[in-house]
């Protein structure tokens, strides 16, 4: 049977809706009383695995799931060895550089050399500032990155922005967009070639459905 | 004013109770309606920062907080450059190796060479298996590590165990304990020597209070 890794959090609802539209029902994962992390769809066609967004590519890379749905941001940060198959359209956000609204900086290049930049996306942030040839110190954080500039620990942050509400509430403003991100369909590369259990047929149905919704 | 970094999650309640006993009230952090991550105690003696457990040593290492409370597990995994001052007694748990109850393994050394071991504690897990001279492949996960053996991705896990309920529910059993962990009081090394704003006095009060509760 096929296994599909689904991300906990903001993209779960849209992931499940998309799979429902192609005949796979994992809506039990949306039930707050549910504690199961592995369920089989009622039609018996596939198993769903509910994992952290960052863990989706791990399960797919190791072949424990043939398919996965995950944000482009996770793929850019972790660079997992998975086949990147389709843009699913939902989960739109952007990775941005932000600073305090009271700061004098109006672009990333205004930041002084050796500034501190707090981020959960240490690889993306490092690559970006290297591409600018601006040496900065990346401070790795796991949550509430907006506290970096508020406490004075860092001059700037590199963080995901969707509505911009968190930035506004914390008196921060975006200077630059590193890239835009949406949910992506990924597959285990070998499975994609070997095509077990009608994998390619399912991929085609998901792709068609995602395109129909996006257009 | 002194700043104290407090960990979100399971140890927050006991951290706040301990600080209340020495005259610092950060109980607003326990109010689910509160969205502030930085509050000043009513007595005006100190500021509290509410951050992820893994971020507590970061704020202390960079000197944005002079003091912090965090689990020994985080200190062992991240090895931050902070002064380790006292065992606070609460938040007891252990980092353990666990396998499926149906597995034939009865000790870590029974695991076949090149087994996969899933963990959030990749450094602790690597150090442990190196100390056994047993080559294993560590699979880094961010959450629900128990899914590793369930899905067949890994033979074993290295994860925090407190009551053992999660292991039991997932038909896993502990093979070995790497170490026991409790909440610790940490300080910025330079602040600890310079002693601003009566830092040492506060540390002494917290220590005395923690010992009184533990005994």
């Amino acid at each position: 049977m096929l296994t599909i890794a689904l991300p906990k959090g903001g993209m779960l609802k849209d992931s499940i809706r998309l799979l429902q539209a192609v005949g796979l029902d994992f809506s039990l994962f949306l039930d707050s009383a549910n504690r199961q992390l592995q369920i089989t769809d009622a039609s018996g066609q596939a198993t769903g695995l509910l994992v952290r967004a960052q863990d989706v590519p791990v399960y797919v890379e190791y072949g424990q799931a043939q398919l996965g749905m995950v944000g482009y941001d996770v793929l850019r940060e972790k660079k997992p060895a998975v086949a990147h198959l389709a843009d699913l359209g939902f989960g739109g956000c952007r990775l941005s550089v932000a600073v305090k609204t009271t700061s004098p900086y109006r672009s990333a290049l205004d930041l002084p050399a050796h500034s501190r930049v707090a981020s959960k996306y240490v690889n993306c942030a490092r690559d970006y500032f290297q591409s600018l040839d601006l040496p900065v110190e990346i401070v790795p954080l796991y949550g509430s990155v907006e506290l970096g500039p508020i406490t004075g620990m860092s001059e700037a942050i590199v963080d995901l922005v969707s509505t911009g509400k968190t930035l506004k509430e914390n008196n921060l403003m975006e200077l630059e967009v590193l890239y835009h991100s949406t949910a992506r369909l990924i597959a285990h590369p070998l499975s994609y070639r070997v095509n077990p259990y009608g994998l390619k047929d399912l991929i085609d149905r998901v792709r068609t459905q995602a395109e129909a919704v996006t257009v």
Side-chain angles (χ1 to χ4, degrees), chain A residues 25-183:
Chain A
D25 184 10
F26 296 116
S27 56
L28 183 63
F29 283 148
L30 294 174
D31 181 346
S32 57
N34 170 60
R35 290 200 59 183
Q36 284 180 270
L37 301 175
Q38 189 175 29
I39 57 178
T40 300
D41 149 72
S43 71
Q45 291 176 79
T47 296
L49 271 187
L50 183 62
V51 300
R52 290 273 191 110
Q54 296 101 315
D55 291 342
V56 166
V58 178
Y59 284 92
V60 175
E61 192 172 347
Y62 281 90
Q64 240 53 47
Q66 289 79 37
L67 278 185
M69 291 180 177
V70 67
Y72 176 65
D73 58 304
V74 175
L75 301 177
R76 272 286 284 256
E77 177 65 17
K78 301 285 171 193
K79 298 193 170 61
V82 297
H84 183 155
L85 301 181
D87 186 339
L88 300 176
F90 57 81
C93 55
R94 53 196 184 273
L95 193 73
S96 297
V97 180
V99 295
K100 278 183 169 179
T101 49
T102 56
S103 90
Y105 314 126
R106 290 294 172 272
S107 86
L109 281 169
D110 290 344
L111 286 166
H114 309 294
S115 290
R116 285 184 187 155
V117 178
S119 188
K120 288 182 243 183
Y121 293 81
V122 292
N123 296 323
C124 293
R126 191 176 297 119
D127 291 350
Y128 175 72
F129 283 100
Q130 272 178 359
S131 78
L132 296 182
D133 215 6
L134 179 62
V136 297
E137 182 182 358
I138 309 294
V139 179
L141 288 180
Y142 283 80
S144 305
V145 177
E146 64 276 13
L147 270 179
I150 292 175
T151 58
M153 184 164 65
S154 73
E155 276 84 6
I157 62 172
V158 167
D159 205 16
L160 275 194
V161 181
S162 47
T163 62
K165 200 176 151 222
T166 305
L167 290 185
K168 199 169 271 181
E169 282 178 353
N170 290 289
N171 300 313
L172 298 172
M173 61 178 177
E174 272 178 276
L175 289 187
E176 313 279 352
V177 174
L178 276 64
Y179 57 76
H180 288 266
S181 175
T182 47

